[in-house]
Amino acid sequence: MEFFITPVEPQDKSILLALMAQVISTSVTQDVDLQKSYIDNVTQNLHWWENHPHLGCHLKAVSHQEIVGVVLVKKFWNLCSLFVAPAYHRQGMGRALVIAAVEDCRARSDEKAIFLNAAPNAISFYRAIGFRPRDSKQPQPPGVEPMQLVL
């Protein structure tokens, strides 16, 4: 499977929202209330990026002229969205997106780390890349694990 990683463009918004909703409903959780909460959250993050495009790293993975993956790191330290179309899972795309985002953020992160809240099904994925558990005072949905990668 061939793909390339490139910055997200403003005109990608509707495609990204559809991709993220699909991944949330098929791969993240079957709990309808949590799905709505997650979709609301990623929509808010996408709106944030629209208003602050130079204050974060927002990359997409494209295969056969179709957007099939996306990562958003707000303020170069808050990895708030990583989604890969289910048909492309376990083929290295998510890892490639995270590694590209980390490299882009490395010199620009005021925190000198990348922080995230990993969904239960993504914890082992992030651990394999080098993220480690961290303390957080924010309440988390069931099974979500706060993590960090020191830059």
Side-chain angles (χ1 to χ4, degrees):
M1 176 230 9
E2 292 185 26
F3 64 91
F4 64 93
I5 297 173
T6 188
V8 168
E9 302 288 335
Q11 64 267 23
D12 297 331
K13 180 180 176 181
S14 62
I15 295 167
L16 295 176
L17 286 171
L19 171 66
M20 292 185 290
Q22 175 198 22
V23 174
I24 288 168
S25 66
T26 60
S27 303
V28 176
T29 182
Q30 298 303 304
D31 181 313
V32 176
D33 292 333
L34 273 179
Q35 286 178 8
K36 182 181 178 334
S37 172
Y38 288 168
I39 291 169
D40 289 346
N41 181 264
V42 296
T43 301
Q44 288 173 13
N45 288 331
L46 191 54
H47 290 312
W48 177 90
W49 172 79
E50 282 183 303
N51 294 319
H52 307 93
H54 301 296
L55 295 179
C57 173
H58 204 188
L59 303 173
K60 62 186 174 186
V62 178
S63 180
H64 304 289
Q65 300 179 347
E66 178 184 3
I67 298 172
V68 293
V70 63
V71 63
L72 172 59
V73 184
K74 292 169 40 178
K75 299 181 181 178
F76 305 106
W77 61 265
N78 178 6
L79 197 162
C80 58
S81 297
L82 172 65
F83 295 96
V84 174
Y88 293 85
H89 284 186
R90 300 195 173 278
Q91 297 180 42
M93 187 177 295
R95 174 182 280 274
L97 281 163
V98 171
I99 290 170
V102 166
E103 287 309 310
D104 186 62
C105 295
R106 188 174 302 280
R108 302 198 271 176
S109 173
D110 292 337
E111 298 292 328
K112 301 302 177 206
I114 304 290
F115 298 97
L116 61 85
N117 296 318
N121 65 316
I123 293 169
S124 62
F125 166 80
Y126 286 114
R127 282 189 180 150
I129 294 174
F131 283 82
R132 297 293 172 247
R134 68 174 172 88
D135 291 330
S136 175
K137 295 179 180 161
Q138 290 182 318
Q140 303 294 330
V144 169
E145 184 171 332
M147 302 183 87
Q148 71 177 7
L149 176 71
V150 175
L151 298 177

